[in-house]
Amino acid sequence: MNGPALVNIVGQKAAMGEGYTYSAALESSDLTWTPSTLDTWIENPSALVPGTKMVFMGISDPADRAALIAYLEEN
């Protein structure tokens, strides 16, 4: 598995999805996936949680991030 399921992620605590092994950094982050937190994460995951194992360069365009977050909120 490349990552955890993202269904109903908005409002959930980070690193709580079943069936995926999270980095110690994310597990100890105490984050909740709010639209604001997701925006920061999607922009640059390693800046929000240094030591995360997520290999993702981020999305710099605010409109693209907003569209992705809106999609996550609906699904």
Side-chain angles (χ1 to χ4, degrees), residues 39 42 61-75:
D39 184 57
I42 294 166
D61 186 289
D64 289 344
R65 291 194 312 270
L68 177 54
I69 292 164
Y71 175 82
L72 291 171
E73 287 181 301
E74 291 174 9
N75 295 288

Side-chain angles (χ1 to χ4, degrees), residues 14-25:
M16 298 301 288
E18 294 183 24
Y20 186 76
T21 304
Y22 297 90
S23 66

Side-chain angles (χ1 to χ4, degrees), residues 25-41:
L26 190 59
E27 287 180 349
S28 66
S29 70
D30 197 37
L31 292 175
T32 298
W33 295 125
T34 65
S36 177
T37 305
L38 283 165
D39 184 57
T40 303
W41 174 261

